[in-house]
Amino acid sequence: MLFDKWTKQGRHAGPSDNLQLFFIEPATHTASYQQLARPTLAMNALDQHIAVITGASSGIGAACAKALAAQGATIVLGYHSGQARAQALLEQLPGHGHRIAAIALQDAASHAALAKELQQAYSRVDLLINSAGFTQRIAHRDTAALEPALFDQILSANVTGPYAITRALLPLLQQSSNGLVVNISSVSAFTGLGSNIAYCAAKAALDTMTQSLARAFGPVRFLSVSPASVDTEFVAGRSREELQSKAAKTPLGRIVSPEDVADAVQACATHLRTATGTRIVIDGGHVL
């Protein structure tokens, strides 16, 4: 590999090359080597992309909104009960044209109304991030506490809800040249370890649904992003000390942050263009 002193770019020598080209010396051109070897994300890589994010008023959803807006996406911040938080986040996002939308995951009428609104405003949706969910901390042996009605509630929030909103927005995603649905899942789906048995079952179902949708509705892509425990308030009663203790036992020794998850979601949209129907695991080596 040669380095052209005029273009400042490495390339292979060709027939017309002459001695104007010279080799980089590793010891004295470290910065140049780093620039060549490490790809960088183009600014505004998601310019003119319409991104709908459920559960966007806090935690992972809010981090995704900030990351995607920073790359030029127009964000629809979906919320359930956090309207004030969603409005505050809206005012912080870079760019323009963002909006908030009340999205009750179990209200089909609201989904249809949202689809109609988005059709009129944009005529398509490029990205759907299903980040909303619900759980409770219940020991796996405590089946008395995990009553069937609560089991169904957890399944509904974490599987039926994402399916319902995906179903409503699918025609708009099919109008995009690069439609993508990212479901925020969990390593609980395949480890069976999590806040409760129903949550583990729900995330396993979400991953299977992701695979089925990817097979049925290509070229729209469907991916699961699967973190270990994330540093949010999603699980009531879980302390940061507990997260730190768990993270210390992993190969990377660090807690997964909402921004880590947002980076993975962004990569799904900007770099992993041939990935569909699979999991992107970001757990610091938790399952090793």
Side-chain angles (χ1 to χ4, degrees):
M1 178 66 71
L2 300 175
F3 191 82
D4 191 315
K5 69 178 182 179
W6 304 114
T7 66
K8 302 297 189 296
Q9 295 179 345
R11 61 188 179 87
H12 294 286
S16 62
D17 290 315
N18 54 39
L19 294 180
Q20 295 294 325
L21 299 174
F22 58 93
F23 289 96
I24 301 174
E25 294 295 335
T28 58
H29 293 82
T30 304
S32 296
Y33 259 117
Q34 291 174 341
Q35 291 169 2
L36 287 172
R38 183 181 180 186
T40 57
L41 183 64
M43 291 300 293
N44 297 322
L46 297 175
D47 188 35
Q48 299 185 18
H49 283 60
I50 310 302
V52 178
I53 306 174
T54 69
S57 64
S58 62
I60 291 171
C64 289
K66 294 174 184 177
L68 299 181
Q71 289 301 322
T74 298
I75 309 297
V76 179
L77 297 166
Y79 68 90
H80 180 211
S81 59
Q83 181 177 2
R85 293 193 307 268
Q87 184 62 44
L89 177 58
L90 178 72
E91 295 169 1
Q92 299 171 19
L93 294 180
H96 55 84
H98 313 301
R99 62 176 68 191
I100 65 174
I103 302 177
L105 293 182
Q106 295 150 328
D107 182 358
S110 72
H111 303 164
L114 175 64
K116 183 177 180 180
E117 178 183 342
L118 296 176
Q119 172 66 44
Q120 293 173 345
Y122 309 114
S123 75
R124 72 181 194 285
V125 169
D126 300 294
L127 308 172
L128 170 60
I129 315 302
N130 284 314
S131 180
F134 162 75
T135 194
Q136 286 186 20
R137 193 169 198 181
I138 302 173
H140 285 207
R141 293 182 62 86
D142 191 0
T143 54
L146 185 59
E147 296 179 347
L150 177 56
F151 197 106
D152 286 345
Q153 184 182 359
I154 292 169
L155 284 178
S156 180
N158 293 286
V159 186
T160 309
Y163 170 75
I165 191 67
T166 300
R167 175 177 178 271
L169 299 186
L170 188 55
L172 292 173
L173 287 156
Q174 291 174 314
Q175 293 301 310
S176 171
S177 60
N178 191 31
L180 169 65
V181 178
V182 179
N183 292 316
I184 304 302
S185 187
S186 169
V187 296
S188 297
F190 53 92
T191 64
L193 301 171
S195 52
N196 59 68
I197 291 174
Y199 182 78
C200 296
K203 291 303 185 181
L206 183 67
D207 284 357
T208 299
M209 183 183 77
T210 300
Q211 187 177 31
S212 296
L213 289 169
R215 183 183 299 112
F217 292 104
V220 176
R221 296 187 296 121
F222 296 81
L223 292 167
S224 292
V225 167
S226 305
S229 298
V230 181
D231 190 11
T232 69
E233 298 178 356
F234 179 63
V235 180
R238 183 177 63 187
S239 68
R240 182 168 177 80
E241 289 72 24
E242 181 182 347
L243 290 173
Q244 289 173 329
S245 177
K246 288 182 178 180
K249 299 173 184 177
T250 67
L252 297 190
R254 61 183 291 270
I255 300 172
V256 180
S257 71
E259 290 72 27
D260 291 327
V261 183
D263 286 345
V265 169
Q266 179 175 290
C268 290
T270 59
H271 283 72
L272 306 181
R273 298 298 182 93
T274 58
T276 192
T278 192
R279 300 186 185 105
I280 308 301
V281 178
I282 49 165
D283 67 345
H286 171 80
V287 299
L288 299 178

